[in-house]
């Protein structure tokens, strides 16, 4: 019995145990497998969108317009300039992506009805890469120009991501839900101009 105790408390066994525990801890941190069973739902309204529960009691009379008849006045609210449907890459992903120009001239990328897996270090990227189906499209988004719009707020729901003021949205053609830890796209959408 004493010999078994000496073997189990020997420096080699202790070193192996320390390495195994450290490796398991690192693996759990790196892969974060518990996120596969955790959903984060985010429901954000589109910035600048006004919703009313009832029409006003009396609407003011319209002021005469200086616009010639037949010409439309530009909209002052949010306007979708491009959109696309998300396709699955590394993980099943669905929903709609919209590039929206707000009344102040700024832009947001809006994810609507997003459904994807949760994962470690997920980002929303605006990219110049084409969207390819299947595994051929998993790794293309970091090869060209891309702008990270921040961490994915939730793997389900509708959410907004503000474009930096110095980014010209016409230089980009797709959006990817990008896993920065493993350099892989969970899903992506080609932006078709409207």
């Amino acid at each position: 019995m004493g010999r078994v105790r000496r073997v189990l408390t020997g420096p080699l066994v202790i070193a192996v145990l320390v390495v195994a525990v450290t490796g398991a801890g690192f693996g759990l941190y790196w892969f974060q497998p518990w996120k596969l069973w955790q959903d984060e739902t985010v429901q954000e309204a589109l910035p600048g969108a006004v919703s009313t529960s009832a029409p006003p009691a009396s609407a003011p009379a319209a002021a005469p317009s200086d616009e010639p008849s037949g010409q439309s006045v530009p909209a002052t609210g949010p306007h979708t300039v491009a959109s696309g449907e998300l396709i699955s890459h590394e993980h099943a992903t669905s929903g709609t992506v919209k590039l929206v120009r707000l009344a102040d001239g700024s832009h947001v990328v809006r994810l609507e009805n997003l459904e994807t897996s949760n994962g470690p270090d997920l980002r929303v990227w605006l990219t110049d890469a084409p969207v390819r189906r299947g595994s051929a499209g998993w790794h293309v988004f970091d090869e060209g120009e891309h702008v990270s719009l921040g961490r994915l707020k939730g793997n389900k729901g509708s959410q907004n991501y503000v474009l930096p003021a110095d980014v010209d949205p016409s230089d980009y053609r797709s959006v990817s839900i990008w896993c920065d830890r493993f350099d892989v796209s969970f899903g992506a959408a080609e932006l078709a101009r409207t």
Side-chain angles (χ1 to χ4, degrees), residues 101-124:
R101 186 174 193 271
L102 302 177
D104 65 2
S106 64
H107 290 84
V108 297
V109 166
R110 178 161 174 81
L111 305 178
E112 291 184 342
N113 304 314
L114 173 67
E115 291 270 343
T116 192
S117 297
N118 206 342
D121 207 11
L122 295 180
R123 307 288 175 149
V124 177

Side-chain angles (χ1 to χ4, degrees), residues 82-87 97 129-132 173-175 188-192:
S83 64
E85 294 297 317
L86 286 162
I87 65 166
V97 176
V131 175
R132 297 184 183 129
R173 59 193 270 191
S174 61
V175 171
E190 191 86 30
L191 293 173

Side-chain angles (χ1 to χ4, degrees), residues 87-172:
I87 65 166
S88 299
H89 281 148
E90 173 70 19
H91 292 267
T93 303
S94 64
T96 303
V97 176
K98 293 181 178 178
L99 176 61
V100 179
R101 186 174 193 271
L102 302 177
D104 65 2
S106 64
H107 290 84
V108 297
V109 166
R110 178 161 174 81
L111 305 178
E112 291 184 342
N113 304 314
L114 173 67
E115 291 270 343
T116 192
S117 297
N118 206 342
D121 207 11
L122 295 180
R123 307 288 175 149
V124 177
W125 278 14
L126 184 64
T127 80
D128 68 351
V131 175
R132 297 184 183 129
R133 293 197 174 274
S135 59
W138 291 10
H139 303 281
V140 299
F141 298 102
D142 60 348
E143 294 172 0
E145 293 294 319
H146 62 274
V147 175
S148 177
L149 303 179
R151 288 189 180 275
L152 186 68
K153 297 173 184 176
N155 63 308
K156 294 179 181 272
S158 297
Q159 48 214 262
N160 307 303
Y161 298 87
V162 177
L163 268 67
D166 61 343
V167 171
D168 181 356
S170 65
D171 292 341
Y172 300 92

Side-chain angles (χ1 to χ4, degrees), residues 17-27:
L17 285 174
V18 167
V19 168
V21 169
T22 302
F26 179 76

